[in-house]
């Protein structure tokens, strides 16, 4: 059905399926890494923005928690802004969970 509606060539259908597969693989790896690191930390804080503890974080919860942040960068500096000020306290922990603390 996708072939007849949106994509004219079979190679494009295969390309679309490959992109979706890679995206799902990325999501599952990110979730598994966050759950592993959450177990290492032990007791995770309750984040009021999410209205729950971070026990067994899912990909959807992590993207929801990281959504208010924006990174503005130039050649020599990087600034992180947050639309929800109380979330700034949790930024370091969230970046650790998704293995992005060097960013």
């Amino acid at each position: 059905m996708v072939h007849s509606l949106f994509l004219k060539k079979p190679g494009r259908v295969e390309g679309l399926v490959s992109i979706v597969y890679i995206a799902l693989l990325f999501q599952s790896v990110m979730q598994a890494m966050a759950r592993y690191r959450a177990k290492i930390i032990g007791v995770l804080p309750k984040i009021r923005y999410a209205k729950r503890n971070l026990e067994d974080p899912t990909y959807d919860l992590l993207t929801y928690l990281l959504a208010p942040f924006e990174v503005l960068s130039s050649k020599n500096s990087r600034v992180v802004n947050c639309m929800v000020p109380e979330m700034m306290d949790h930024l370091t922990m969230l970046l650790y969970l998704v293995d992005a603390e060097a960013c």
Side-chain angles (χ1 to χ4, degrees), residues 19-48:
I19 290 172
V20 170
Y21 175 75
I22 290 170
L24 290 172
L25 183 64
F26 174 77
Q27 288 180 357
S28 64
V29 167
M30 185 174 165
Q31 179 174 307
M33 184 178 303
R35 287 181 174 181
Y36 173 75
R37 288 178 166 230
K39 286 181 183 176
I40 291 173
I41 291 174
V43 179
L44 294 169
K46 181 174 184 176
I47 296 179
R48 292 183 193 168

